[in-house]
Amino acid sequence: MGRGGVAPVQLVASKMAGTNELGLAELPSDPLLLILSYLDFRDLLSCSLLNRRFNQLCNHDPLWKWPCQKYWLVSEDKKAQKNRSWKATFTDYYMDLGRYIHHYAKLKAAWDALKAYLGEHCPRMITSLKAGVQEEDLNAIEERIGAKLPDDYRCSLRIHNGQKLVLPGLMGSMALSNHYRSENLLDVDTAAGGFQRRIGLNRCLPITFCIHTGLSQYLALADIEARCRNEIFYQCPDQTTHNPAALDMFITGTSFSQWFTSYVQHVVSGDYPIIRDQIFRYEHDKDCVATTDEITISVSTSFLPELSSIHPPHYFFTYRIRMEMAKNALPEKACQLDSRYWKITNAKGNVEEVQGPGVVGDYPQLRAGRVYEYTSCTTFSTTSGYMEGSYTFHRLDNKNEVFNVTIPRFHMKCPTFRVSDVATEESCNDCFLHDDDSTDTDEYEERRRVLDMPNPPVHCPRFT
């Protein structure tokens, strides 16, 4: 089958069937080469076995340029540096990486795009990347752990073997007032050292690691314990049972290739901002922007799995607010924030309204062109919810002139999750959190003691 689903050889042969004028093999070389140029490398190899003439035609070097560019991303310059023909170049790559022919181009393009972007915006992160490993190294790892690695994961390791355990982590950071996470992409040897055989995480391989929180994303290497092979997930202990093997899962990828390329796309498109030389995994809905009286408010959100649980339902989100006054605003438009108002709605339609002075203890002033940003957080007892509201400002030259600025509605939703099928020793279903999202800290702590849950690693100054 040729490019675009066309089979040119079959098409020409069918048109000439039943005629005595000219057979396919008797066509001049130029039209045959044109037909062959539409074939994939497998079809070229098959055609080369027909006879001596087709063998010679299929070895015509320009025919191998397109397969080299499609599967191995070889440019004219790269070919010239190697001083090899297109056919020889394709063969060299195929002998080394042929196992990954359906993964290499996609992953190599993602790695190249990520390095190009980081080279411009965060160059020191590139220095932490490790060179790729060889096939024999990966085979040795598989023998060591007694499990097969997915081909797309192996392919990525051939390009770059993760990174050094340094800060910042390649796979994104998150920072709150007293909580910090930065995930490294592990090299395969370190990952193999954390390969799990225990119940709850059986045959799971950590592929990321956060030095501060101990958080990892795991790659499932088998269909076991309610997991699907090749899925990537965060573990989430079931807090309603005393069985440490009861681990729920927040699913972050259906395969390594999908997980990694999706992340890279978020980074290079600017969806994930780079702040202080770190990639922050905030997601911004481009429609989530509102402008009132030359002040623009935009919101980005992120889900924090390490501070969330499925049992009991407790889903932790952080949001980043950006306020910006137009650059051409008149001096008399200068203003200061006085208070905030939030309307919070969970997935069940329960509404909570919150008002308070300032934001995160601050009362920012805005003038022409000035930007003010802050981060806060919230929790839901449902898997999703949304917030909207307004800020109250007064003019700096006239405190009596008070006005409201709209905060656009922004939605928060936790990733797909899967509940552990490991048998629990003891259930505590009667101790689930209520459906309302109470901000009463004392009540929240009391329920936490009833559930025998560990204290959270961060206090959430909700709705600031």
Side-chain angles (χ1 to χ4, degrees):
M1 187 65 68
R3 281 179 271 176
V6 179
V9 175
Q10 295 176 7
L11 180 62
V12 173
S14 65
K15 286 185 176 181
M16 292 185 173
T19 69
N20 296 318
E21 295 181 0
L22 191 64
L24 178 62
E26 297 171 317
L27 280 175
S29 294
D30 285 347
L32 278 177
L33 286 172
L34 177 61
I35 293 170
L36 292 172
S37 70
Y38 284 88
L39 301 186
D40 200 0
F41 78 97
R42 292 181 180 84
D43 298 316
L44 282 175
L45 292 174
S46 297
C47 286
S48 71
L49 301 176
L50 290 175
N51 53 44
R52 181 177 297 176
R53 185 177 181 223
F54 269 91
N55 183 273
Q56 292 174 341
L57 289 170
C58 289
N59 280 288
H60 183 58
D61 198 55
L63 292 177
W64 294 90
K65 177 179 177 179
W66 178 71
C68 279
Q69 294 175 334
K70 175 184 178 182
Y71 292 109
W72 311 123
L73 304 184
V74 178
S75 63
E76 293 272 7
D77 292 341
K78 192 170 184 179
K79 171 186 171 290
Q81 291 172 5
K82 292 181 176 292
N83 195 27
R84 301 276 282 170
S85 68
W86 287 112
K87 175 71 180 295
T89 299
F90 183 90
T91 303
D92 291 343
Y93 272 94
Y94 192 83
M95 293 297 290
D96 184 30
L97 297 163
R99 173 175 182 171
Y100 313 115
I101 195 164
H102 296 298
H103 301 293
Y104 181 84
K106 185 176 183 179
L107 289 167
K108 183 66 164 61
W111 273 111
D112 288 348
L114 181 61
K115 289 190 293 183
Y117 186 82
L118 293 178
E120 183 177 351
H121 297 89
C122 189
R124 74 187 184 99
M125 193 177 291
I126 297 179
T127 62
S128 70
L129 298 180
K130 292 187 174 184
V133 295
Q134 299 302 309
E135 282 296 290
E136 53 268 27
D137 300 319
L138 295 175
N139 294 337
I141 289 292
E142 288 184 339
E143 184 175 353
R144 172 179 160 191
I145 66 176
K148 294 292 184 182
L149 302 175
D151 276 353
D152 54 353
Y153 179 51
R154 286 179 62 118
C155 181
S156 181
L157 293 168
R158 290 296 311 273
I159 301 168
H160 278 293
N161 184 23
Q163 66 172 145
K164 303 170 187 175
L165 285 176
V166 296
L167 293 176
L170 181 68
M171 302 311 295
S173 301
M174 185 56 60
L176 295 173
S177 57
N178 59 339
H179 176 78
Y180 178 74
R181 180 189 81 215
S182 188
E183 286 185 65
N184 291 93
L185 183 63
L186 293 177
D187 65 77
V188 70
D189 190 63
T190 303
F195 181 67
Q196 299 292 316
R197 295 180 175 85
R198 65 185 177 92
I199 298 176
L201 279 176
N202 192 15
R203 303 183 76 76
C204 291
L205 184 79
I207 58 174
T208 71
F209 180 71
C210 172
I211 299 172
H212 293 82
T213 65
L215 182 75
S216 284
Q217 294 187 66
Y218 285 88
L219 173 61
L221 300 186
D223 296 314
I224 191 172
E225 296 175 344
R227 288 183 294 275
C228 298
R229 176 176 165 81
N230 299 337
E231 277 184 340
I232 297 172
F233 65 94
Y234 287 109
Q235 62 168 318
C236 179
D238 185 338
Q239 303 281 9
T240 63
T241 177
H242 296 295
N243 185 354
L247 298 175
D248 301 326
M249 297 153 279
F250 289 112
I251 309 299
T252 56
T254 56
S255 68
F256 180 87
S257 179
Q258 179 271 327
W259 173 80
F260 183 72
T261 57
S262 175
Y263 174 76
V264 170
Q265 179 58 34
H266 277 297
V267 175
V268 301
S269 66
D271 288 345
Y272 290 169
I274 292 183
I275 306 169
R276 297 186 298 276
D277 289 334
Q278 299 179 74
I279 301 169
F280 278 78
R281 294 207 311 244
Y282 283 106
E283 296 190 36
H284 173 60
D285 181 352
K286 292 180 173 57
D287 293 328
C288 186
V289 178
T291 300
T292 306
D293 202 0
E294 299 191 83
I295 297 175
T296 299
I297 306 294
S298 60
V299 189
S300 303
T301 63
S302 184
F303 174 72
L304 273 65
E306 69 271 30
L307 302 180
S308 301
S309 67
I310 299 169
H311 294 107
H314 179 80
Y315 304 98
F316 193 108
F317 298 88
T318 180
Y319 52 90
R320 186 174 180 84
I321 305 285
R322 177 185 173 94
M323 309 177 189
E324 181 176 9
M325 179 169 279
K327 293 180 180 179
N328 58 354
L330 298 174
E332 54 266 28
K333 292 287 187 177
C335 55
Q336 183 172 22
L337 187 148
D338 293 321
S339 61
R340 67 190 186 277
Y341 162 76
W342 287 113
K343 180 181 178 183
I344 308 102
T345 308
N346 70 12
K348 295 185 176 182
N350 297 332
V351 177
E352 181 178 3
E353 296 183 86
V354 177
Q355 299 184 63
V359 290
V360 292
D362 195 9
Y363 300 85
Q365 295 182 1
L366 294 180
R367 293 179 172 83
R370 185 180 177 187
V371 174
Y372 179 84
E373 295 181 299
Y374 76 94
T375 299
S376 189
C377 55
T378 188
T379 59
F380 287 98
S381 61
T382 55
T383 58
S384 64
Y386 61 86
M387 295 174 61
E388 57 194 325
S390 62
Y391 297 116
T392 300
F393 285 82
H394 71 265
R395 301 293 181 193
L396 291 181
D397 58 358
N398 182 4
K399 291 187 177 182
N400 293 324
E401 185 180 347
V402 176
F403 62 100
N404 291 329
V405 172
T406 299
I407 305 171
R409 177 181 295 186
F410 56 97
H411 294 262
M412 291 159 280
K413 184 178 180 180
C414 82
T416 301
F417 62 80
R418 188 169 295 122
V419 176
S420 171
D421 68 352
V422 175
T424 57
E425 295 175 359
E426 183 176 346
S427 176
C428 189
N429 293 329
D430 293 335
C431 301
F432 276 13
L433 294 177
H434 299 300
D435 289 334
D436 65 286
D437 291 311
S438 173
T439 56
D440 190 327
T441 303
D442 292 337
E443 180 187 357
Y444 174 75
E445 292 298 333
E446 181 61 30
R447 286 182 291 182
R448 182 170 288 277
R449 284 193 291 271
V450 171
L451 290 168
D452 194 26
M453 293 167 61
N455 289 325
V458 61
H459 170 67
C460 173
R462 301 176 68 207
F463 317 137
T464 55

